[in-house]
Amino acid sequence: QVQLVESGGGLVQAGGSLRLSCAASGRTFSSYSMGWFRQAPGKEREFVAAINWSGGPTRYADFVKGRFTISRDIAKNMVFLQMNSLKPEDTAVYYCGAARNSLLVASTTPTYWGQGTQVIVSS
């Protein structure tokens, strides 16, 4: 069982940066693939970024490549999303997810979800 708690969201101007954090509890955290997803008002939840168990391989949605970076600290049971060059269209609730299968595979969906953290990017 994995429990996830996101933090770090807020209001930022376009072009600015935010760093989201996801704290995980559960003794087998290191065996889970981790990802970030987002849901804008009136839209479906969409994939943003994922990182594998070892913290090495990553996958990004095309619309964040070069702007967002996912990382994890297994020792601290944390996963992060560094978001730079933010755009108004990045406004959404951002969710952390965990899966036993690799989230680097597009068809994989998380088994566990956090409650989400709101990101608002003003123009």
Side-chain angles (χ1 to χ4, degrees):
Q1 184 90 14
V2 175
Q3 294 181 326
L4 307 172
V5 178
E6 303 96 333
S7 62
L11 174 64
V12 64
Q13 288 188 332
S17 298
L18 281 174
R19 188 191 193 208
L20 305 183
S21 299
C22 174
S25 61
R27 291 180 295 175
T28 59
F29 170 73
S30 61
S31 65
Y32 284 82
S33 175
M34 304 297 295
W36 287 95
F37 297 74
R38 70 185 188 185
Q39 188 167 17
K43 295 186 177 181
E44 293 187 352
R45 192 172 299 188
E46 62 183 353
F47 169 80
V48 175
I51 189 165
N52 237 354
W53 306 271
S54 64
T58 57
R59 179 171 74 96
Y60 295 93
D62 287 343
F63 53 79
V64 302
K65 284 182 180 177
R67 299 190 298 125
F68 292 9
T69 302
I70 188 171
S71 61
R72 70 187 296 171
D73 186 331
I74 294 175
K76 296 182 178 179
N77 281 5
M78 300 285 291
V79 63
F80 308 98
L81 186 68
Q82 178 66 44
M83 306 187 296
N84 299 327
S85 302
L86 283 161
K87 305 175 181 179
E89 51 264 44
D90 293 319
T91 294
V93 177
Y94 283 72
Y95 297 90
C96 177
R100 293 301 294 262
N101 295 323
S102 176
L103 287 170
L104 300 189
V105 177
S107 58
T108 301
T109 56
T111 304
Y112 303 102
W113 293 97
Q115 293 299 308
T117 185
Q118 177 74 59
V119 171
I120 300 174
V121 184
S122 62
S123 58

